Amino acid sequence: MSACLLAGALTLALGADAAFSLEWTHSVEQTRWQEEWRVVAGALVLTRAAVKGSGAGMEPGAGARLENGWWVWEPAAAPVDKLLLAASGLTPSAWRLCTNAGCLQLGASASEPLLLRPCPEEGAG
């Protein structure tokens, strides 16, 4: 069974692994950040995080290990029902959202925050 993700007005198919990633550049430190997510039982589960350095508000998480210049760890975060991505248009990069079908840029220009959430489950509600 495959899952999908709603990204604002877009619907993105995730495939059987129900996975997607987010990557961006921190607005103050100008450092890359990556997160890997999965849709599980109608919720978003953070499975991996990585940061290329450390600094203001972006310290590596517990158990982080250095891999090819990135601090990588598996966060122990509770599942969430949505993510809200700021879209100020003033940050050094847009959000890069990748699925098994490819990547797209989100929030590159100033707009309302972008809501990411799992698609409603078939037969729910």
Side-chain angles (χ1 to χ4, degrees):
M1 170 186 272
S2 62
C4 71
L5 181 70
L6 299 174
L10 300 173
T11 301
L12 307 169
L14 299 179
D17 64 355
F20 68 96
S21 65
L22 286 173
E23 184 173 332
W24 67 94
T25 300
H26 189 275
S27 60
V28 174
E29 297 292 333
Q30 308 291 307
T31 301
R32 299 298 294 164
W33 188 284
Q34 299 173 343
E35 293 179 344
E36 293 178 11
W37 293 84
R38 291 194 61 197
V39 175
V40 178
L44 302 173
V45 178
L46 180 59
T47 61
R48 180 181 176 275
V51 63
K52 186 96 171 166
S54 63
M58 50 188 301
E59 293 75 22
R65 62 200 173 281
L66 192 58
E67 294 180 6
N68 299 318
W70 289 82
W71 287 103
V72 179
W73 68 101
E74 290 74 34
V80 296
D81 60 349
K82 65 186 175 210
L83 296 173
L84 196 59
L85 307 179
S88 69
L90 302 174
T91 56
S93 74
W95 299 92
R96 180 177 164 91
L97 187 147
C98 297
T99 69
N100 61 341
C103 299
L104 61 129
Q105 304 291 321
L106 302 170
S109 55
S111 66
E112 293 297 313
L114 182 70
L115 178 66
L116 293 183
R117 60 187 171 92
C119 294
E121 293 183 22
E122 295 280 326

